[in-house]
């Protein structure tokens, strides 16, 4: 009875040893180079795509696939393995940020109006960046947005309401939704020679000149768009003032 029990235990030990040996042989039969080749193929794919999000996702996959290459060496390569994990984590973090930035943006009614008036070709998220450096303002009839003889510290994009431009007591014209109060002065940098008086309560977005200039200097695409709108705004004012002068002269 004791002999049979010992014989049974010996058979179990031999079977267990055989399984471990075969498992070790199976692991050793895997060529670690396959993993590094697969990872490099994914890197080639990553470098061939245009979208930065897909580039980072492919880079994460490439890093994870190459990990067994470092582990299956006769002596695991811990230093390159650690760096590969760090690179994978960094690309994964940046991929998450890109996904958050690409989520659909819902604009308010006023923000939609601003986009329609000025930033038609700008993605909603980018437009919200522009609005974030400004501030929403309201002004009642009789308030002055610009005073003659003073430097202009900010420009205001009118969303609703009216502002009258007056020079030496003479009315040059009225500005309404879509017009920018102070556009001519920000382009020239000169002191105001006119008064901008609110004639109908307005709702507007106001940007401080210094803040706006710093933002535009680091965002060339938006700077070009803003300059184009300022130029169109100025041309429209000159045309409107000329038409109103002719009308006044005729009457």
């Amino acid at each position: 009875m004791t002999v049979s029990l010992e014989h049974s235990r010996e058979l179990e030990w031999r079977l267990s040893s055989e399984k471990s040996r075969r498992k070790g042989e199976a692991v050793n039969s895997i060529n670690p180079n396959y993993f590094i080749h697969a990872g490099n193929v994914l890197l080639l794919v990553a470098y061939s795509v245009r979208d930065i999000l897909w580039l980072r996702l492919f880079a994460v996959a490439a890093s994870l696939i190459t990990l067994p290459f470092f582990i299956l060496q006769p002596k695991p390569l811990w230093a390159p393995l650690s760096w590969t994990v760090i690179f994978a984590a960094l690309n994964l973090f940046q991929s998450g940020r890109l996904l958050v930035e690409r989520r659909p943006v819902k604009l308010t009614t006023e923000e939609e109006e601003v986009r329609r008036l000025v930033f038609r070709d700008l993605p909603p998220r980018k437009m919200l960046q522009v609005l974030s450096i400004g501030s929403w303002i309201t002004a009642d009839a009789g308030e002055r947005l610009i005073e003659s003889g003073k430097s202009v510290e900010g420009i205001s994009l009118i969303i609703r309401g009216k502002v009258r431009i007056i020079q030496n007591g003479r009315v040059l014209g009225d500005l309404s939704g879509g017009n920018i109060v102070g556009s001519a002065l920000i382009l020239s940098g000169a002191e105001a020679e006119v008064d901008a008086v609110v004639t109908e309560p307005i709702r507007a977005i106001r940007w401080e000149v210094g803040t706006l200039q710093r933002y535009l200097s680091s965002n060339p695409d938006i700077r070009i768009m803003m300059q184009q709108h300022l130029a169109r705004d100025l041309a429209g004012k000159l045309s409107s003032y000329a038409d109103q002068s002719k009308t006044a002269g005729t009457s």
Side-chain angles (χ1 to χ4, degrees), residues 3-240:
V3 174
S4 298
L5 183 59
E6 289 178 354
H7 182 66
S8 176
R9 287 176 178 174
E10 184 179 353
L11 284 176
E12 288 180 2
W13 178 81
R14 286 181 179 178
L15 287 172
S16 177
S17 299
E18 183 66 18
K19 286 181 181 179
S20 298
R21 184 181 64 80
R22 289 179 180 177
K23 186 177 179 181
E25 289 177 352
V27 171
N28 291 333
S29 66
I30 299 175
N31 190 340
N33 291 334
Y34 293 155
F35 295 101
I36 200 71
H37 291 321
N40 285 330
V41 168
L42 277 179
L43 278 180
L44 286 174
V45 175
Y47 294 144
S48 66
V49 298
R50 291 186 175 184
D51 192 312
I52 186 64
L53 174 59
W54 281 108
L55 187 152
R56 290 192 178 277
L57 290 175
F58 276 119
V60 170
S63 296
L64 295 178
I65 286 176
T66 57
L67 291 181
F69 171 80
F70 305 115
I71 297 173
L72 295 176
Q73 299 301 315
K75 185 177 180 182
L77 305 176
W78 298 114
L81 185 144
S82 301
W83 280 110
T84 302
V85 170
I86 291 172
F87 292 144
L90 179 61
N91 278 313
L92 192 61
F93 173 74
Q94 293 296 344
S95 298
R97 287 187 60 185
L98 288 171
L99 285 171
V100 170
E101 290 175 0
R102 294 186 182 188
R103 286 186 305 179
V105 175
K106 186 171 179 61
L107 302 177
T108 65
T109 304
E110 286 184 329
E111 290 166 348
E112 284 283 6
E113 186 67 10
V114 173
R115 191 181 183 200
R116 184 187 68 81
L117 293 171
V118 183
F119 303 110
R120 234 175 250 137
D121 300 326
L122 205 61
R125 193 176 297 279
K126 201 73 173 176
M127 190 204 70
L128 289 178
Q129 283 185 10
V130 182
L131 297 186
S132 69
I133 63 170
S135 57
W136 289 95
I137 64 168
T138 55
D140 296 324
E143 292 188 38
R144 295 176 184 267
L145 300 183
I146 293 177
E147 290 188 44
S148 179
K150 294 186 177 180
S151 299
V152 177
E153 297 179 352
I155 62 173
S156 303
L157 171 65
I158 302 173
I159 309 302
R160 295 186 302 274
K162 280 189 178 181
V163 175
R164 178 158 292 173
I165 305 301
I166 303 171
Q167 184 177 46
N168 298 326
R170 184 167 63 93
V171 176
L172 298 180
D174 292 323
L175 305 180
S176 56
N179 289 133
I180 296 179
V181 181
S183 58
L185 297 171
I186 194 175
L187 287 173
S188 64
E191 290 185 349
E193 296 181 355
V194 298
D195 293 301
V197 184
V198 178
T199 55
E200 292 180 10
I202 68 164
R203 178 69 166 165
I205 179 78
R206 177 183 171 83
W207 293 280
E208 297 298 323
V209 173
T211 303
L212 182 61
Q213 287 177 339
R214 284 191 296 273
Y215 178 79
L216 295 180
S217 65
S218 58
N219 293 271
D221 52 337
I222 299 179
R223 182 181 68 240
I224 292 171
M225 186 176 297
M226 182 68 83
Q227 287 174 341
Q228 289 174 344
H229 184 76
L230 288 173
R232 287 195 300 269
D233 180 75
L234 181 57
K237 288 174 184 174
L238 293 175
S239 176
S240 176

